[in-house]
Amino acid sequence: RRLSGWTAAASTGVFQQVWTASPAAGQAVPRLQVPDRPPIQETDPAFLSITEAMTLFRRRELSPVEVVEACLERIRRLDPLLRAFNEVTAEAALARARSLEASWSPGGSPPLAGVPLAMKDNFFTAGILTTANSHIFADFVPTFDAEAWARLQAAGAVLVGKTQMGPLATSRATTPDGEATTVNAWAPRDPGVSPGGSSSGSATSVAAGLALGATGTQTGGSITNPADAQGLTGLKPTMGRVSLRGIIPLTYTRDHPGPLARDAVDAALLLQLMAGPDPADPRTLGHPPVPDLMEAATPVVRPGGGPRLRWPTRIGVPPGYLDGPDGPPLEPPGPGADEGERRRFQRRMAARDREAAAVGMRRGMLETFRSLGAEVVEVPYPPDWDILTSGDFNNVRLPERSEPFLGELRRDVRLFGVSLSPWINGLLLPGAEYLRGQRAKLVLLRRVLDQIFDRCDVVLQTSPIPFDIIGLPLITFPIGMREHTGGSGGEGRRLPVGALVGGMPFAEDRLLSLAAAWQSVTEWHRMRPPDPEVDTPGEGAEASRTVRLDVLDVWEQGE
């Protein structure tokens, strides 16, 4: 009962030791060597990478106010269609940019001084509405900042807004009652093209040039899936690398805050600033020190020219990775199928199409990595892989989801809107099943460490779920584009395709070095979605109402 009371209080912001303590005293902003990166081909300030903008700031060729104004103008013009934001903090952002610009000095300003970022709407932001797209937090205004955001803010970041997300981080971005909101920046008039998981708004904001970078949280793919869907570099760090204090909880042992960025260098910079021990979050304590992620993400050149991998790297290729989708063809729903069944069929078909299109790109990616010095090795899955990563064990996370919200579940289940089903299932899962799942998690972790990483340094993945279960780091980055098939309003468009790579515990530097080497010899991370024409205010809201998630959609999409 005592533990239940503590965690229930945490959800409402009164648990002093973990959720409402002020940012850790004495946390200094890391001293960073940010590389000089003049833009190669980008002229629009809103599409600069973070480090490109910082280079232009240092050279006095661009000001923080100009970059923030460029992002805010795009938000004003495009967000009625894209619906990436819950809250836009335009006046405060401009005031902060002006202040930072007035006090800017070479070597004396914080590393992110004037860089516009977007925060997922489950990060506490002092004095700013923080709703997690939930009825429960509809009027919640925190009195302090989430630790991760506090660190970014101390480094000079400018908040342009809070981004749309799945209700309590359970699905793609929707209203609490299931109306789809955020659309994919690459197919803005086809709401059937998913913007990714619950960090939808964060991904769309960066992809569409509404912010230079953003934060997300991942419990079941909600950083890497949106990054994959929208051509970004998304990094889910090891569990405990970044403090969860001040982030509305979903699952105590699987919530991972991390960055969504244009490239590996930006992702490294944001994580370097967010990461590290927080005395008020015991999950962050006792870990290896945060390495120099910026150095890891800086491409290395061979003597005599030509890029190479920073470290000798064995890339593991699991069974089926280069085979594409398997199994019998999907049967379309019958004439009597409802809209939900048809939509789920379309989503499964899109997933198969995406997998099929990715096979050739994956082969080309591996050839490129070989040319950079990597060794590519086949890695079999450990025994019982399908069982240990199946829904039976994956769903043991649900009681952890329900427990902080016991008070709300008792008071009024309608507060959970379309996402109620997982919370009810969490209440009903027997304690014995939960304990069995926790033991299975340890078995899975042990087998991954002993039987996968004994053969390789990083391993390619087709789903984030296995590494989310055991808290190991993941990175995704774009490797190509595919033709958009089906849907409405997206014909003739191309959509990004990404690669997903997993690493050993606290080996974010290894993953970043791999992505940075790839991006040093390719241009996919520089692709930008074409700007949509937006003539009618509210046009996006009307379009998105053609997609409404039901409880089965939420259950299937997960986090």
Side-chain angles (χ1 to χ4, degrees), residues 81-82 183-191 193 488-490 493 529-533 540 543-544:
L81 174 63
L82 300 175
V183 294
N184 189 310
W186 290 87
R189 298 190 186 281
D190 186 353
V193 176
S488 59
R493 284 184 175 265
D531 274 3
E533 293 294 329
S544 68

Side-chain angles (χ1 to χ4, degrees), residues 186-314:
W186 290 87
R189 298 190 186 281
D190 186 353
V193 176
S194 175
S198 72
S199 304
S200 308
S202 290
T204 297
S205 71
V206 180
L210 313 184
L212 269 58
T215 61
T217 55
Q218 179 153 324
T219 304
S222 286
I223 292 173
T224 54
N225 286 350
D228 176 273
Q230 304 207 48
L232 303 176
T233 301
L235 178 57
K236 187 213 79 165
T238 310
M239 178 67 190
R241 182 59 97 188
V242 178
S243 174
L244 279 160
R245 184 161 52 92
I247 295 176
I248 293 172
L250 182 60
T251 301
Y252 184 82
T253 62
R254 278 180 55 174
D255 285 356
H256 303 74
L260 292 103
R262 300 209 190 286
D263 58 27
V265 180
D266 281 7
L269 174 58
L270 293 176
L271 183 59
Q272 191 88 62
L273 293 166
M274 296 167 68
D278 174 6
D281 184 352
R283 290 163 291 201
T284 67
L285 304 180
H287 301 316
V290 182
D292 189 336
L293 302 177
M294 292 297 295
E295 181 183 30
T298 302
V300 178
V301 177
R302 292 185 178 97
R308 65 168 174 83
L309 293 175
R310 178 169 290 275
W311 298 291
T313 302
R314 297 167 299 166

Side-chain angles (χ1 to χ4, degrees), residues 153-171:
Q153 192 171 27
V158 174
L159 178 68
V160 293
K162 304 295 292 295
T163 56
Q164 288 270 356
M165 56 183 284
L168 291 172
T170 50
S171 67

Side-chain angles (χ1 to χ4, degrees), residues 474-489:
L474 290 165
I475 195 168
T476 190
F477 48 87
I479 62 171
M481 300 287 288
R482 65 181 177 89
E483 296 300 319
H484 174 50
T485 56
S488 59

Side-chain angles (χ1 to χ4, degrees), residues 115-134:
V115 172
L117 299 181
M119 293 292 111
K120 188 175 180 179
D121 200 24
N122 55 351
F123 283 69
F124 283 25
T125 44
I128 300 170
L129 196 65
T130 300
T131 71
N133 273 27
S134 167

Side-chain angles (χ1 to χ4, degrees), residues 70-135:
C71 289
L72 291 176
E73 168 57 23
R74 291 183 64 82
I75 292 172
R76 183 198 65 77
R77 182 164 53 88
L78 299 178
D79 204 51
L81 174 63
L82 300 175
R83 302 184 76 188
F85 286 92
N86 265 341
E87 185 87 4
V88 178
T89 53
E91 291 184 9
L94 283 171
R96 179 164 167 79
R98 292 186 184 112
S99 174
L100 288 164
E101 183 175 317
S103 60
W104 194 89
S105 65
S109 292
L112 289 182
V115 172
L117 299 181
M119 293 292 111
K120 188 175 180 179
D121 200 24
N122 55 351
F123 283 69
F124 283 25
T125 44
I128 300 170
L129 196 65
T130 300
T131 71
N133 273 27
S134 167
H135 293 307

